[in-house]
């Protein structure tokens, strides 16, 4: 059964700690109950909410259909931008997209360290979901799989579960003043083993399964860093394995960015003794419905924009006397337009390789789209043209990100200079692209 354990905090190196953090004392760490392989009973209200959410997700997945291929990357990109705010860093969708294309160019002057970190997170999240979300590739989810998932997201850290106590939130660098203290390190492997078994074997409502798996993971907080991002990927994994979503990635947890207090309240309810699981499931189900609606709207906005930019191109060609005004379907400009949602930043080399055309043909097409006002020209600090950008498409990602931005601090910001290593101190903040 879930319980608290009393532990002693007595920091060895107090030289650079504040007065309040130097003091030893006792704190309480929460140890959740194991999940097993059966879903717990829910109230009729919570059960109805979860069933409604499953139906809404299915309808959204069907409406988006094949468009989910490009939409997923946009949603993960936006989610990763929001994640960077937890670290106290900010990056625009445009800078991120440029970094995705140009991170191999050391001299571009446009790919910051933050941008490259977020690029790595986007790619790792996509790979992780693809691996664990496919039951054929991963018939059983194991603790080793979850460790690898986290290491894909945080490759600079040593792989493996944490071997020290961590804590969440609080005004200083001490578990005595933390908002929440996860289970001690001695309990982590047992609990993650149980969580992996739950993800593998549990059947029933996929929204309930995802809600419980996410809350349990965030409660265990099993890694030194990357818990928030790994916990989000776990939601995608559960829904994909359950075939609740086949086309589209719906970043449910990120909806809580608009109501961080509710997210924390939901997790706190989950951790009550006895657990107020119904409250958490209802909040999660409502977030699922909102996220599904946002994904459908983004897909529709992109489809509308696709039509507008094509009309703009035809109008421009007609004004310039270019015939035919409506280009053939195999024209390079049309091929570029059809892929702008997933390829919003382009170079001559990228267009030539992507569409198997000459560099000269790629340059002519990019120049025409820029002259038509569809693409913008981006230069480096020396004024050299580096790439072309589809700013209106990037603006859609920016709008999604801004409306769901995560703003959260953690005890990492309170770390004293030259102080002891900071354990996992990720704020249990809400998460949204």
């Amino acid at each position: 059964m879930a319980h608290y354990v009393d532990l002693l905090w007595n920091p060895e190196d107090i030289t650079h700690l504040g007065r309040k953090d130097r003091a030893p004392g006792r704190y309480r760490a929460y140890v959740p109950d194991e999940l097993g392989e059966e879903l717990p009973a829910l109230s009729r209200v919570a059960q109805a909410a979860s069933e409604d959410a499953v139906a809404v997700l299915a309808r959204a997945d069907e409406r988006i259909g094949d468009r989910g291929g490009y939409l997923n990357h946009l949603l993960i990109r936006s989610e990763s931008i929001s994640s960077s705010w937890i670290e106290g860093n900010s990056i625009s969708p445009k800078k991120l997209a440029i970094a995705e294309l140009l991170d191999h160019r050391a001299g571009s002057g446009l790919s910051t360290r933050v941008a490259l970190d977020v690029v790595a997170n986007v790619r790792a999240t996509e790979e992780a979901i693809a691996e664990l979300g496919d039951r054929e590739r991963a018939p059983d989810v194991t603790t080793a799989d979850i460790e690898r998932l986290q290491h894909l997201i945080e490759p600079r850290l040593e792989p493996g579960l944490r071997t020290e106590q961590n804590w969440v939130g609080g005004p200083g660098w001490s578990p005595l003043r933390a908002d929440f203290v996860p289970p001690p390190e001695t309990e982590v492997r047992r609990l993650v083993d149980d969580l992996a078994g739950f993800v593998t074997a549990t059947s029933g409502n996929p929204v309930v399964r995802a809600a419980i798996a996410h809350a349990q993971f965030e409660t265990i907080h099993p890694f030194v860093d990357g818990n928030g991002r790994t916990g989000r990927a776990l939601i995608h994994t559960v829904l994909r394995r359950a075939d609740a979503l086949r086309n589209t990635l719906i970043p449910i947890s990120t909806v809580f960015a608009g109501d961080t207090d509710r997210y924390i309240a939901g997790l706190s309810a989950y951790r009550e003794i006895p657990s107020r699981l119904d409250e958490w499931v209802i909040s999660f189900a409502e977030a699922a419905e909102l996220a599904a609606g946002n994904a459908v709207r983004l897909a529709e906005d992109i489809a509308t924009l696709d039509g507008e930019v094509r009309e703009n191109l035809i109008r421009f060609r007609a004004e310039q006397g270019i015939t035919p005004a409506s280009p053939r379907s195999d024209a390079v400009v049309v091929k570029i337009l059809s892929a702008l949602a997933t390829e919003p930043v382009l170079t001559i080399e990228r267009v030539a390789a992507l569409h198997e055309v000459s560099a000269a043909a790629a340059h002519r097409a990019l120049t025409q789209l820029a002259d038509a006002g569809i693409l913008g020209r981006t230069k480096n600090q020396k004024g050299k043209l580096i790439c072309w950008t589809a700013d209106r498409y990037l603006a859609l990602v920016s709008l999604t990100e801004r409306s769901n931005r995560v703003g959260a601090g953690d005890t990492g910001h309170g770390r004293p200079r030259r102080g002891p290593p900071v354990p996992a101190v990720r704020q249990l903040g809400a998460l949204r692209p």
Side-chain angles (χ1 to χ4, degrees), residues 241-272:
R241 290 179 68 87
D243 287 331
L245 295 168
R246 298 183 179 182
N247 302 304
T248 311
L249 180 152
I250 304 291
I252 294 171
S253 63
T254 60
V255 170
F256 287 108
D259 194 349
T260 310
D261 291 342
R262 188 178 186 189
Y263 176 71
I264 296 174
L267 289 181
S268 297
Y270 175 84
R271 296 165 183 157
E272 285 288 326

Side-chain angles (χ1 to χ4, degrees), residues 75-140:
L75 291 171
I76 291 176
R77 182 187 292 165
S78 186
E79 181 179 70
S80 296
I81 290 170
S82 289
S83 297
S84 71
W85 282 80
I86 298 176
E87 317 291 341
N89 299 314
S90 63
I91 179 175
S92 69
K94 183 172 181 176
K95 288 183 178 179
L96 174 58
I98 291 172
E100 284 186 279
L101 182 63
L102 302 181
D103 61 2
H104 64 286
R105 295 187 180 183
S108 71
L110 296 172
S111 299
T112 65
R113 181 71 259 170
V114 172
L116 297 181
D117 285 347
V118 178
V119 168
N121 186 43
V122 170
R123 293 173 179 169
T125 301
E126 288 178 324
E127 181 179 347
I129 294 168
E131 287 191 6
L132 292 188
D134 188 335
R135 290 196 303 266
E136 292 186 2
R137 294 177 65 179
D140 297 321

